[in-house]
């Protein structure tokens, strides 16, 4: 997946209109709540076939961490 | 202790792992002839090897979601092979995270086909009077506590199980005058390989369960009771097995 498309999809998943890039810290996104987190898990599962554990998930801090899991 | 006879032929779906496997082994150990249906031939073979009475533990490799329309005929085909059935346990299904913002029709159709349409159409086949023994026949559907108390991320999964619970109640009323009973078991988190991933996802803690996580045998023991004549006054019920958890 193209990186810019990935960013757009991710914004949709998190439901944010904030300008985000690969360095954005997830905690800085106002909409990054528990539903956004479950949505991200479902997104990584359905789009990239990546199944994360709670431990994996706790290590995710930035958009780049998500991109790495997605294999981008 | 509940006992079955070899004349009691019981179909168990999802029998190659987890709850379905445990139910198949339990019923076989208690004396029933088990027809174990699953998709994975190696795991089914292993299930047979590990069964108490291998001679009366039959395996059928089948993906029940492959062709939903033919499911009733498939059960008729099994009856021609094995004779009329006393009971059906429907324990196959999928667990998948779903959230509103990622919903699409394909996800809804897929989960409902597997968790709702397939069990109902299999039950239709079982309930054809040529295929069961009549009075004393029984069905147990394995639903989920999510069907009664849904959590975040379970929109479609929980609805599919709620639909199954509701359908089984209506079905039970249709068949009660024939003395055929239909019940559901709705477990919370039971330790199975299939659910391990979901437990990891959502971060369920054993401390949420005063009685600890469920074991597959906890579900199998209730299923066996509900299929047996010991429960002859029980139909149209949904039993929640949650170890005292308050979700």
């Amino acid at each position: 997946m193209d990186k810019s498309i990935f960013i757009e999809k991710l914004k949709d998943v998190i439901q944010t209109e904030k300008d985000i890039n690969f360095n954005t810290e997830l905690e800085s996104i106002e909409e990054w709540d528990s539903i956004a987190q479950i949505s991200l898990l479902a997104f990584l599962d359905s789009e990239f076939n990546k199944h994360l554990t709670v431990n994996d998930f706790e290590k995710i801090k930035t958009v780049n961490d998500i991109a790495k899991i997605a294999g981008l | 202790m509940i006992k079955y006879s070899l004349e009691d032929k019981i179909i168990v779906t999802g029998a190659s792992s987890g709850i379905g496997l445990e139910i198949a082994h339990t019923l076989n150990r208690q004396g029933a002839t088990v027809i174990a249906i699953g998709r994975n031939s190696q795991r089914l073979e292993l299930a047979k090897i590990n069964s108490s009475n291998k001679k009366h533990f039959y395996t059928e490799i089948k993906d029940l979601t492959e062709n939903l329309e033919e499911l009733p005929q498939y059960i008729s085909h099994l009856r021609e092979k094995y004779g009329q059935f006393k009971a059906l346990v429907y324990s196959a299904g999928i667990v998948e995270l779903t959230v509103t913002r990622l919903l699409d029709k394909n996800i809804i159709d897929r989960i409902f086909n597997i968790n709702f349409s397939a069990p109902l159409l299999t039950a239709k086949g079982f309930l054809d009077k040529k295929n069961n023994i009549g009075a004393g026949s029984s069905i147990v559907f394995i639903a989920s506590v999510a069907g009664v108390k849904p959590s975040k991320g379970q929109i479609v999964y929980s609805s599919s199980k709620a639909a199954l619970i509701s359908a089984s109640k209506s079905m039970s009323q249709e068949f009660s005058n024939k003395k055929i009973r239909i019940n559901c078991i709705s477990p919370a988190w039971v330790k199975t390989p299939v659910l391990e991933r979901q437990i990891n996802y959502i971060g369920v803690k054993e401390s949420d369960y005063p009685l600890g996580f469920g074991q597959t045998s906890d579900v199998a023991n209730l299923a066996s009771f509900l299929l047996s004549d010991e429960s002859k006054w029980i139909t149209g019920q949904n039993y929640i097995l949650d170890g005292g958890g308050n979700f």
Side-chain angles (χ1 to χ4, degrees), chain A residues 12-15 34-36 38-39 41-43 45 51-54, chain B residues 96-99 101-102 107 152-153 197-204:
Chain A
D12 196 38
V13 168
I14 299 174
Q15 290 280 289
S34 65
I35 295 296
I38 290 175
S39 302
L41 289 171
F43 173 65
D45 187 354
H51 316 303
L52 268 62
T53 67
V54 171
Chain B
E96 202 167 311
L97 266 184
T98 46
V99 288
R101 63 189 66 166
L102 294 176
I107 292 174
K152 290 174 194 168
R197 196 180 103 200
Q198 287 281 312
I199 288 170
N200 280 333
Y201 259 159
I202 299 171
V204 180

Side-chain angles (χ1 to χ4, degrees), chain B residues 9-10 15 18 21 33 41 50 63 68 71 74 112 121 126 128-129 150 163 189-190 193 195 204 210 219 222-223 243:
Chain B
K9 294 166 190 138
I10 303 179
L21 172 63
T33 296
S41 60
N50 291 328
D63 180 353
L68 296 177
L71 284 175
Y74 173 66
F112 263 80
L121 291 166
F126 175 84
D128 182 320
K129 67 178 182 184
W189 298 108
V190 171
L195 290 183
V204 180
V219 183
L222 179 56

Side-chain angles (χ1 to χ4, degrees), chain B residues 47-137:
Chain B
K48 185 182 174 80
I49 290 167
N50 291 328
S51 64
S52 311
N53 187 355
K54 296 174 191 56
K55 266 190 179 173
H56 295 94
F57 192 99
Y58 297 95
T59 58
E60 292 285 340
I61 300 153
K62 173 84 176 166
D63 180 353
L64 295 169
T65 63
E66 212 170 53
N67 184 352
L68 296 177
E69 282 80 12
E70 61 143 42
L71 284 175
Q73 291 91 317
Y74 173 66
I75 300 299
S76 297
H77 160 74
L78 291 182
R79 186 257 306 153
E80 285 162 15
K81 195 169 167 182
Y82 297 103
Q84 287 176 320
F85 300 108
K86 175 181 173 61
L88 164 70
V89 180
Y90 199 99
S91 173
I94 53 164
V95 187
E96 202 167 311
L97 266 184
T98 46
V99 288
T100 310
R101 63 189 66 166
L102 294 176
L103 269 186
D104 68 43
K105 189 173 178 303
N106 289 336
I107 292 174
I108 298 170
D109 288 349
R110 186 175 74 249
I111 296 177
F112 263 80
N113 277 341
I114 296 173
N115 287 353
F116 178 70
S117 304
L120 253 58
L121 291 166
T122 304
K124 177 186 171 185
F126 175 84
L127 291 166
D128 182 320
K129 67 178 182 184
K130 294 190 290 299
N131 294 339
N132 63 64
I133 59 166
S137 301

Side-chain angles (χ1 to χ4, degrees), chain B residues 127 129 134-137 174-181:
Chain B
L127 291 166
K129 67 178 182 184
S137 301
E174 224 181 290
F175 286 88
S176 55
N177 63 344
K178 295 188 169 67
K179 306 285 189 285
I180 297 176
R181 300 177 302 103

Side-chain angles (χ1 to χ4, degrees), chain A residues 49-68:
Chain A
N49 202 26
K50 299 288 180 191
H51 316 303
L52 268 62
T53 67
V54 171
N55 287 342
D56 296 333
F57 195 75
E58 281 171 354
K59 291 176 195 150
I60 296 176
K61 303 291 178 210
T62 65
V63 171
N64 194 45
D65 294 336
I66 302 171
K68 274 196 279 184

